[in-house]
Amino acid sequence: MTNPAPLPPVLRVPEVRAVEAAALAGSPRPALMERAGDAAARCALDMLGGAQRVLVLAGPGNNGGDALVAARRLREAWLPVTVVLLGDSARLPADAAAALAAWCASGGAVTTALPAAGPAPDLVVDGLLGIGAARPLAGPLALAVDCINHAGCPVLSLDVPSGLDADSGAVHGAAVRATRTLTFIALKPGLLTLEGPDHAGVVDVADLGLGDAVAAAAHGGLIAEDILRTVLPRRQRNSHKGSHGSVGILGGAPGMAGALLLAARAALLAGSGRVHAGFVDGAAPSLDLLQPELMLRSAAQVLSMDGLDVLVCGPGLGSGEAARACVRGALAFPRPLLLDADALNLVASEPALGAAVAQRGAPTWVTPHPGEAARLLDTTTAAIAADRVGAALAIAARLRATTLLKGAGSIIAEPGGHWLVNASGNPGLAAAGTGDVLCGLAAALAAQGADPALVLPAAAHLHGRAADLLLEAHGGPVGMTAGEVALAARRVLNAALYG
């Protein structure tokens, strides 16, 4: 195995504010804003190519100040720049007021009216709100967002597309749909999760010379692109099926056998030496015609096996007494355990089961979707969406289990407070059974000896990369199926380890 590259840090808004405040305390006041504006102007010039006209919309805070510095730099490059200031110039923060004064002193003009006619711009710079969005947009700001979204040209958002929550990725009523976002100091989770990827476009980071401070403050990170290259060693020629681990998967109640089979097939395709599928009703089919290598058993038989390296409980498990017995048996399993789907619903419904999860000594992973997360935390899916990082961290702390909160930009949280965001994947994964495939992939990595801390990050990244490979092959996400995601994951994993 090779050493992984450093993770790109991801900071929540309070952490960004703290880094920014420390930097401002140690340097002349305008310096940070000047750096941000310079970086924004360079990004704008890169987007313009041979085009000329730039429309800059500056808001009432320091994000507007960054935009004003960028406007001044673009004007110094002899570009025609129109600046629209949304907000009372007399109430601007000190740094933004200084940026406005410098813009005017350079000969730049300011208007407060959104353009209604005239030549269309070649680029719009969104400097309305940045990380300051905290409530639904209304009035002039909402009109400005609508103006940006209908400008008919590329859009550069500064820090965060206006109207997008920098921490959660939620949209406050309306939000800018940027072509590109230049975010300052560090990545923010809202750019990477929930609705953020649909609004941020291509995301670049300008750390403004604060990289060391950012690294010291970061509790979160973006899963590195090379994680699959580092999670497993290359296989020795002198190996056999016992060298690559044994996985047991419990589930497959009547009418839900497909969930168990999808998870088991994915575990096999991702390299597990042996995969045992345990059916909760005890009436296991004699053979999986699509994957005859699988060993089909009753759940009780799988739970009684001595040689399992990792156990999964949940795909198609159901909610009856037999399912509860499976969960209780799984929680007594002395080696690594992954809980998903119906197993999580049962844990949420019985405090004793939740306590048993937290008391386990072996590594435990849980992989809820937002509805299951809401049940685990006794809250609503809307509350989960409002703070996906916080929700994942809360589940991890409550269950003392590494937690993967599914969704666009899945969040992986550790009980100790560290968390990661996964950026791979696409809407094709919004299909039945893809979560079961994710379970199988994670189990396979664990059975083959992956570091327990890397199992969920690597599985999430592999799952998303497989979907991205299919998206390219199919020309889009429509009609992607869980079974083909597992097949594509095999290709992605082999390319990462042996390409």
Side-chain angles (χ1 to χ4, degrees), residues 102-135:
W103 164 251
C104 294
S106 73
V110 172
T111 179
T112 59
L114 295 170
D122 298 305
L123 176 71
V124 175
V125 177
D126 161 32
L128 293 174
L129 290 174
I131 63 174
R135 63 179 68 90

Side-chain angles (χ1 to χ4, degrees), residues 364-385:
T364 308
W365 305 287
V366 298
T367 53
H369 60 51
E372 292 154 356
R375 288 186 277 278
L376 287 168
L377 294 177
D378 193 23
T379 186
T380 64
T381 54
I384 299 298

Side-chain angles (χ1 to χ4, degrees), residues 170-182:
V171 169
H172 293 296
V176 169
R177 288 187 177 271
T179 311
R180 190 168 171 178
T181 297
L182 179 66

Side-chain angles (χ1 to χ4, degrees), residues 249 258-260 262-264 266 312-316 338-341 344 366-369 372 404 406-407 410 428-443 456 459-460 463 481-483 485-486:
I249 308 179
L260 175 57
L262 282 168
V312 176
C313 182
L338 189 153
L339 298 172
D340 182 55
L344 295 176
V366 298
T367 53
H369 60 51
E372 292 154 356
L404 190 158
K406 298 172 188 173
S410 293
L429 290 172
T434 57
D436 305 311
V437 168
L438 175 62
C439 284
L441 298 179
L456 289 187
H463 191 239
T481 63
V485 171

Side-chain angles (χ1 to χ4, degrees), residues 32 68 94 103 228 234 277 287 300 310 349 381 397 448:
L32 210 57
L68 288 164
W103 164 251
L228 298 179
R234 288 181 174 231
L287 179 70
V310 62
S349 69
T381 54
Q448 293 171 83

